[in-house]
Amino acid sequence: MLNFIFNFYEKKLIENLSSSSVENILEKMNDNNYYFPYNIWKKYFDTNSIEGGKEISWFAYREIERINDINKFEFLRKICENPESNKDLINKSLFALGHLAKNTKNKLVFEYLMEKIKTEDEANKETILIAITNCEKPKDYNLEPIYDILKNARIGLKTSATISLKKSENPETEKNLIQALAIEKNQHFQEMTASTLSDIGTEISLPILKEKLKTGKGRDYKYFLNNAIEEIEARKNNR
């Protein structure tokens, strides 16, 4: 019975968010309270644990990830350009723009984000990179700002950059990833680079992946390298 009640109100929250304005959804992305009546149940029966995926903000993020109205671009752009906008609102708007670029496959939105990523602080750069990870990136998309991060940023941001290059169709992307894989020693970075190469890599990535595999240690590390090699070889054989 309790699950039925929770599911009913979850569905109601989702429906309300789906019919809300972008402005309202951005506001709800900051609401870390549990939805009603889950908040009441937690208050009296489960005060010691924290459960993700039940906060109002979680549902708001899932809703903004579905944004697909290109007419919202100008509204979100103005927030980002307004000197009176607070940092958190700008961050949320950049996240929304990344998903708008993904869902509409709109080059203008993507190129706007590539211009913003040059000048934003690290937190906003990270948000943009995360939001555009699943964007399709045709050959004519400008990815130079991401390549620059891949070469010059701190390791955390470099790792987000290497992940964000999935779905890139530009041959320069693979070259940049191979170069980064040869230079960067951080194991997690190498794992994520291998993961991206498993998505977009060609046979030119195979030598360095196989070389890393020979000396690599750790089950997870070897998994990422092996998977990349297998995916690339499968694509090569299916041509």
Side-chain angles (χ1 to χ4, degrees):
M1 181 64 180
L2 195 59
N3 283 337
F4 173 81
I5 294 171
F6 289 159
N7 290 338
F8 174 82
Y9 281 97
E10 262 191 35
K11 185 178 179 182
K12 188 174 182 180
L13 173 60
I14 293 168
E15 289 173 350
N16 287 339
L17 286 169
S18 68
S19 61
S20 294
S21 66
V22 170
E23 184 176 14
N24 184 57
I25 298 170
L26 292 173
E27 181 181 341
K28 294 296 184 184
M29 287 166 73
N30 276 325
D31 190 343
N32 292 320
N33 294 306
Y34 295 116
Y35 66 87
F36 175 86
Y38 196 82
N39 58 339
I40 304 298
W41 179 85
K42 289 285 288 183
K43 180 178 179 180
Y44 291 106
F45 298 102
D46 189 14
T47 58
N48 295 323
S49 66
I50 298 173
E51 186 169 351
K54 297 295 183 181
E55 304 93 340
I56 293 170
S57 59
W58 188 90
F59 292 94
Y61 268 93
R62 301 296 79 74
E63 183 59 36
I64 209 69
E65 286 173 352
R66 291 190 281 271
I67 185 171
N68 59 9
D69 184 355
I70 193 61
N71 294 316
K72 303 301 181 186
F73 169 64
E74 193 60 24
F75 171 77
L76 293 165
R77 186 193 67 79
K78 285 181 178 178
I79 291 175
C80 295
E81 302 299 327
N82 186 348
E84 296 183 2
S85 295
N86 66 59
K87 290 182 178 180
D88 183 73
L89 182 59
I90 292 173
N91 186 271
K92 301 288 191 299
S93 298
L94 290 168
F95 182 83
L97 283 166
H99 286 279
L100 183 64
K102 170 176 66 73
N103 296 333
T104 62
K105 300 180 182 179
N106 187 285
K107 185 180 179 182
L108 174 66
V109 181
F110 189 91
E111 298 288 353
Y112 174 75
L113 289 171
M114 290 300 97
E115 287 301 313
K116 292 296 289 180
I117 207 170
K118 296 177 185 177
T119 57
E120 290 295 323
D121 61 24
E122 283 208 3
N124 286 346
K125 289 179 191 287
E126 186 99 37
T127 293
I128 292 170
L129 291 169
I130 291 169
I132 65 168
T133 294
N134 290 316
C135 282
E136 294 182 14
K137 304 170 186 76
K139 289 181 181 179
D140 62 338
Y141 274 36
N142 174 30
L143 300 176
E144 287 296 332
I146 303 179
Y147 300 156
D148 185 62
I149 290 173
L150 200 61
K151 294 171 184 174
N152 301 311
R154 63 178 179 82
I155 189 61
L157 207 56
K158 281 185 178 181
T159 304
S160 294
T162 199
I163 295 169
S164 77
L165 288 168
K166 290 185 176 182
K167 297 184 180 293
S168 169
E169 297 176 5
N170 191 330
E172 291 301 311
T173 297
E174 186 175 18
K175 294 177 184 178
N176 277 273
L177 290 171
I178 291 171
Q179 183 181 26
L181 189 59
I183 296 171
E184 182 55 59
K185 305 301 183 185
N186 182 274
Q187 185 165 303
H188 181 59
F189 174 86
Q190 291 192 9
E191 289 172 351
M192 294 302 97
T193 302
S195 177
T196 299
L197 288 171
S198 74
D199 179 62
I200 67 166
T202 67
E203 54 265 35
I204 69 171
S205 292
L206 291 175
I208 191 168
L209 289 168
K210 290 178 179 179
E211 177 188 337
K212 294 288 182 183
L213 186 60
K214 286 180 183 177
T215 57
K217 296 180 181 180
R219 183 172 61 181
D220 289 346
Y221 182 72
K222 290 182 177 181
Y223 165 80
F224 281 104
L225 292 170
N226 259 319
N227 186 65
I229 292 166
E230 290 173 1
E231 290 292 331
I232 291 169
E233 288 182 337
R235 283 196 294 273
K236 179 182 175 183
N237 294 333
N238 287 333
R239 286 176 185 168

